[in-house]
Coordinates of all heavy atoms in Angstrom, one line a residue:
T152 N 13.3 -1.5 -0.7 CA 14.2 -0.3 -0.8 C 13.5 0.8 -1.6 O 14.2 1.8 -1.8 CB 15.5 -0.6 -1.5 OG1 15.3 -1.1 -2.8 CG2 16.3 -1.7 -0.8
S153 N 12.3 0.7 -1.9 CA 11.6 1.7 -2.7 C 11.4 3.0 -1.9 O 11.4 3.0 -0.7 CB 10.3 1.2 -3.3 OG 9.4 1.0 -2.2
H154 N 11.2 4.1 -2.7 CA 11.0 5.4 -2.0 C 9.7 5.3 -1.2 O 9.6 5.9 -0.1 CB 10.8 6.5 -3.0 CG 12.1 6.8 -3.7 ND1 13.3 7.1 -3.0 CD2 12.5 6.9 -5.0 CE1 14.3 7.4 -3.8 NE2 13.8 7.3 -5.1
T155 N 8.7 4.6 -1.7 CA 7.4 4.5 -0.9 C 7.7 3.9 0.4 O 7.1 4.3 1.4 CB 6.4 3.7 -1.7 OG1 6.1 4.3 -3.0 CG2 5.1 3.6 -1.0
A156 N 8.5 2.8 0.4 CA 8.8 2.1 1.7 C 9.5 3.0 2.7 O 9.2 3.1 3.8 CB 9.7 0.9 1.4
I157 N 10.6 3.7 2.2 CA 11.4 4.6 3.0 C 10.5 5.7 3.6 O 10.6 6.0 4.8 CB 12.6 5.2 2.2 CG1 13.5 4.1 1.8 CG2 13.3 6.2 3.0 CD1 14.5 4.5 0.8
L158 N 9.7 6.4 2.8 CA 9.0 7.5 3.3 C 7.8 7.1 4.1 O 7.4 7.9 5.0 CB 8.6 8.4 2.1 CG 9.7 9.1 1.4 CD1 9.3 9.7 0.0 CD2 10.3 10.2 2.3
A159 N 7.2 6.0 3.8 CA 6.1 5.5 4.6 C 6.5 5.3 6.1 O 5.8 5.6 7.0 CB 5.5 4.2 4.1
K160 N 7.7 4.7 6.2 CA 8.3 4.5 7.5 C 8.5 5.8 8.2 O 8.3 6.0 9.4 CB 9.6 3.7 7.5 CG 9.4 2.2 7.1 CD 10.7 1.5 6.9 CE 10.4 0.0 6.5 NZ 11.7 -0.7 6.3
A161 N 9.0 6.8 7.5 CA 9.3 8.1 8.0 C 8.0 8.8 8.5 O 7.9 9.5 9.5 CB 10.0 9.0 7.0
L162 N 6.9 8.6 7.7 CA 5.6 9.1 8.0 C 4.9 8.3 9.1 O 3.9 8.8 9.7 CB 4.7 9.2 6.8 CG 5.1 10.2 5.7 CD1 4.4 9.9 4.4 CD2 4.8 11.6 6.2
D163 N 5.4 7.1 9.3 CA 4.8 6.2 10.3 C 3.4 5.8 10.0 O 2.5 5.8 10.8 CB 4.9 6.8 11.7 CG 4.7 5.8 12.8 OD1 5.0 4.6 12.6 OD2 4.4 6.1 14.0
I164 N 3.2 5.4 8.7 CA 1.9 4.9 8.3 C 2.1 3.6 7.6 O 3.1 3.4 7.0 CB 1.2 5.9 7.3 CG1 2.0 6.2 6.1 CG2 0.8 7.2 8.0 CD1 1.3 7.1 5.1
P165 N 1.1 2.7 7.6 CA 1.2 1.4 7.0 C 1.4 1.5 5.5 O 0.8 2.4 4.8 CB -0.1 0.7 7.3 CG -0.7 1.5 8.4 CD -0.2 2.9 8.3
A166 N 2.1 0.6 4.9 CA 2.3 0.6 3.4 C 2.5 -0.8 2.9 O 3.2 -1.6 3.5 CB 3.5 1.5 3.0
V167 N 2.0 -1.1 1.8 CA 2.1 -2.4 1.1 C 2.6 -2.0 -0.4 O 1.9 -1.3 -1.1 CB 0.9 -3.2 1.1 CG1 1.0 -4.5 0.2 CG2 0.5 -3.6 2.5
V168 N 3.7 -2.6 -0.8 CA 4.2 -2.3 -2.2 C 4.2 -3.7 -2.9 O 4.1 -4.7 -2.3 CB 5.5 -1.7 -2.2 CG1 5.5 -0.3 -1.5 CG2 6.6 -2.6 -1.6
G169 N 4.4 -3.6 -4.2 CA 4.5 -4.9 -5.0 C 3.2 -5.6 -5.0 O 3.2 -6.9 -5.1
C170 N 2.1 -4.9 -4.8 CA 0.7 -5.6 -4.8 C 0.2 -5.6 -6.2 O -0.5 -4.7 -6.6 CB -0.2 -4.8 -3.8 SG -1.7 -5.7 -3.4
R171 N 0.6 -6.6 -7.0 CA 0.4 -6.6 -8.4 C -1.1 -6.6 -8.7 O -1.9 -7.4 -8.1 CB 1.1 -7.8 -9.0 CG 2.6 -7.7 -9.0 CD 3.3 -8.8 -9.7 NE 3.1 -10.1 -9.0 CZ 3.5 -11.2 -9.5 NH1 4.1 -11.3 -10.7 NH2 3.3 -12.3 -8.8
D172 N -1.5 -5.8 -9.7 CA -2.8 -5.8 -10.3 C -3.9 -5.3 -9.3 O -5.1 -5.5 -9.6 CB -3.2 -7.1 -10.9 CG -2.3 -7.6 -12.0 OD1 -1.8 -6.8 -12.8 OD2 -2.0 -8.8 -12.0
I173 N -3.5 -4.7 -8.2 CA -4.5 -4.2 -7.3 C -5.4 -3.2 -7.9 O -6.6 -3.1 -7.5 CB -3.8 -3.7 -6.0 CG1 -4.9 -3.4 -4.9 CG2 -3.0 -2.5 -6.3 CD1 -5.6 -4.5 -4.4
L174 N -4.9 -2.3 -8.8 CA -5.7 -1.3 -9.4 C -6.9 -1.8 -10.2 O -7.9 -1.1 -10.5 CB -4.9 -0.4 -10.3 CG -3.8 0.4 -9.5 CD1 -3.1 1.4 -10.5 CD2 -4.3 1.1 -8.3
A175 N -6.8 -3.1 -10.6 CA -7.9 -3.7 -11.4 C -9.1 -4.1 -10.5 O -10.2 -4.2 -10.9 CB -7.4 -5.0 -12.1
D176 N -8.8 -4.2 -9.2 CA -9.8 -4.6 -8.2 C -10.4 -3.4 -7.4 O -11.6 -3.5 -6.9 CB -9.2 -5.6 -7.2 CG -8.8 -6.9 -7.8 OD1 -9.2 -7.1 -9.0 OD2 -8.2 -7.7 -7.1
V177 N -9.7 -2.3 -7.3 CA -10.1 -1.3 -6.4 C -10.7 -0.1 -7.2 O -10.2 0.2 -8.3 CB -9.0 -0.8 -5.4 CG1 -7.9 -0.1 -6.2 CG2 -9.6 0.0 -4.3
R178 N -11.7 0.6 -6.6 CA -12.3 1.8 -7.2 C -12.3 2.9 -6.2 O -12.4 2.6 -5.0 CB -13.7 1.5 -7.7 CG -13.8 0.5 -8.8 CD -13.3 1.0 -10.1 NE -13.4 0.0 -11.2 CZ -12.4 -0.9 -11.4 NH1 -11.3 -0.9 -10.7 NH2 -12.6 -1.8 -12.4
G179 N -12.2 4.1 -6.6 CA -12.2 5.2 -5.7 C -13.5 5.2 -4.8 O -14.6 5.0 -5.3
G180 N -13.3 5.4 -3.5 CA -14.4 5.3 -2.6 C -14.7 4.0 -2.0 O -15.5 3.9 -1.0
D181 N -14.0 2.9 -2.5 CA -14.2 1.6 -1.9 C -13.7 1.6 -0.5 O -12.6 2.2 -0.2 CB -13.4 0.5 -2.7 CG -14.1 0.1 -4.0 OD1 -15.3 0.4 -4.1 OD2 -13.5 -0.6 -4.8
T182 N -14.3 0.9 0.4 CA -13.8 0.6 1.7 C -12.7 -0.4 1.6 O -12.9 -1.5 0.9 CB -14.9 0.1 2.7 OG1 -15.9 1.1 2.9 CG2 -14.3 -0.2 4.1
V183 N -11.5 -0.2 2.2 CA -10.4 -1.1 2.0 C -9.7 -1.3 3.4 O -9.8 -0.4 4.3 CB -9.3 -0.6 1.0 CG1 -9.9 -0.5 -0.4 CG2 -8.9 0.8 1.4
I184 N -9.0 -2.4 3.5 CA -8.2 -2.6 4.7 C -6.7 -2.9 4.2 O -6.5 -3.6 3.2 CB -8.7 -3.9 5.4 CG1 -10.0 -3.7 6.0 CG2 -7.7 -4.3 6.5 CD1 -10.7 -4.9 6.6
V185 N -5.8 -2.2 4.9 CA -4.4 -2.4 4.6 C -3.7 -3.0 5.8 O -3.7 -2.4 6.9 CB -3.7 -1.1 4.2 CG1 -2.2 -1.3 3.9 CG2 -4.4 -0.5 2.9
D186 N -3.1 -4.2 5.6 CA -2.3 -4.8 6.7 C -0.8 -4.7 6.4 O -0.3 -5.5 5.6 CB -2.7 -6.3 6.8 CG -2.1 -7.1 7.9 OD1 -1.0 -6.6 8.4 OD2 -2.7 -8.1 8.4
G187 N -0.2 -3.7 7.0 CA 1.2 -3.5 6.7 C 2.2 -4.5 7.3 O 3.3 -4.5 7.1
V188 N 1.6 -5.4 8.2 CA 2.4 -6.4 8.8 C 2.5 -7.7 7.9 O 3.6 -8.2 7.6 CB 1.8 -6.8 10.2 CG1 2.6 -8.0 10.8 CG2 1.7 -5.6 11.1
S189 N 1.3 -8.1 7.4 CA 1.3 -9.3 6.5 C 1.5 -9.0 5.0 O 1.8 -9.9 4.2 CB 0.0 -10.1 6.7 OG -1.1 -9.3 6.2

């Protein structure tokens, strides 16, 4: 029910929320994959 979820659907782009501690693993410029289904 988060705003990110609501607006991502409106924008029609993939979104993953509640991804704990992800900022500890990712750095700006890293190649990443987002699977909004799983």
Side-chain angles (χ1 to χ4, degrees):
T152 62
S153 65
H154 291 306
T155 301
I157 295 168
L158 291 168
K160 288 176 182 176
L162 289 166
D163 198 20
I164 59 176
V167 174
V168 301
C170 194
R171 292 186 293 175
D172 302 322
I173 187 65
L174 297 188
D176 292 352
V177 70
R178 298 289 179 269
D181 281 347
T182 298
V183 294
I184 293 171
V185 178
D186 185 334
V188 177
S189 69

